[in-house]
Amino acid sequence: MIGSIKNKHLVLASKSPRRNELMNGLGLDFTVKTKEVKEDFPKDLEKTKVAQYLAEKKALAFQQELGNNDLLITADTVVIINGEILNKPKDKEEALQMLQQLSGNIHQVITGVCMMDKHKIVTFDDLTEVHFKKLDKEEISNYIDKYKPYDKAGAYGVQEWIGYVAVYKMVGSFYNVMGLPVHKIYEELKNW
C-alpha cells in the first residue's frame, strides 16, 4: 500500500461507474458513497475553475460524516468549448446539439478532484485537449440512441464508439477524459 494510506479508509463519493472502474484500476481498496449534491456554481466563476469548485462542493457535503480514518475522494468533469461549459445533456436534442458543436472542433476536458480527511482538504484538476473529427448527424444520432450518454458531460464517453472513431488526437490524459486523473490521484495518495 502507498505511504501512510494503509491506515486510511478510502471513500469514493461518486455514482459514476467509470470513476469506480478507474479507482479499481489503481488496485486500491475503497468503498463508494453517494449523495445528491446540487451541481450549481457562481456564474462569474472562471470556467476552468468550475470542476474543482464542484468537486470541493461534493466533498463538503460529506464533511460531517467522515470517520477518523476516512479519506474521501470526489470529482467533477466539465467539457469546455469556445468558453462554454457543456454539462450533461437532459435529452436527445440537447445531446445532439452538444455533439454537433464538438464535431470537427477542439475542446477541453477538465476534471477537478477533492481529497479530504478530518484534518485537511486538497483540490486539484487536470486538463486534456481533445480533437474531434467531423461526424455527420446520422452518426451522432446513432451514437446517442445506442449509448444514451445522458450521464456524461459533453454527451459522450471517450471509452465508447465515439471515442474510437471521432477522437483523433489528445493532449493530456485519456483517463482524465474518462472522468478521473488517476495519475494525479496516485501521486497525491503517496504524499498523504
Side-chain angles (χ1 to χ4, degrees), residues 94-141:
E94 193 171 42
L96 197 59
Q97 288 170 357
M98 286 182 184
L99 289 170
Q100 286 175 319
Q101 201 173 349
L102 297 176
S103 176
N105 287 306
I106 299 168
H107 64 275
Q108 297 175 322
V109 176
I110 301 174
T111 298
V113 176
C114 183
M115 297 172 68
M116 180 174 71
D117 66 13
K118 283 276 201 194
H119 308 289
K120 73 177 180 179
I121 184 167
V122 174
T123 60
F124 55 90
D125 64 23
D126 198 35
L127 184 148
T128 304
E129 184 181 88
V130 181
H131 298 239
F132 245 58
K133 82 173 192 90
K134 191 83 174 144
L135 294 172
D136 63 40
K137 192 171 181 177
E138 185 182 353
E139 289 171 311
I140 293 170
S141 186

Side-chain angles (χ1 to χ4, degrees), residues 132-171:
F132 245 58
K133 82 173 192 90
K134 191 83 174 144
L135 294 172
D136 63 40
K137 192 171 181 177
E138 185 182 353
E139 289 171 311
I140 293 170
S141 186
N142 287 339
Y143 167 73
I144 295 167
D145 289 343
K146 182 168 185 180
Y147 291 93
K148 307 197 180 330
Y150 304 114
D151 65 335
K152 298 173 181 76
Y156 80 96
V158 71
Q159 71 282 2
E160 297 169 343
W161 177 85
I162 204 162
Y164 289 27
V165 301
V167 176
Y168 66 90
K169 181 179 176 183
M170 246 186 238
V171 181

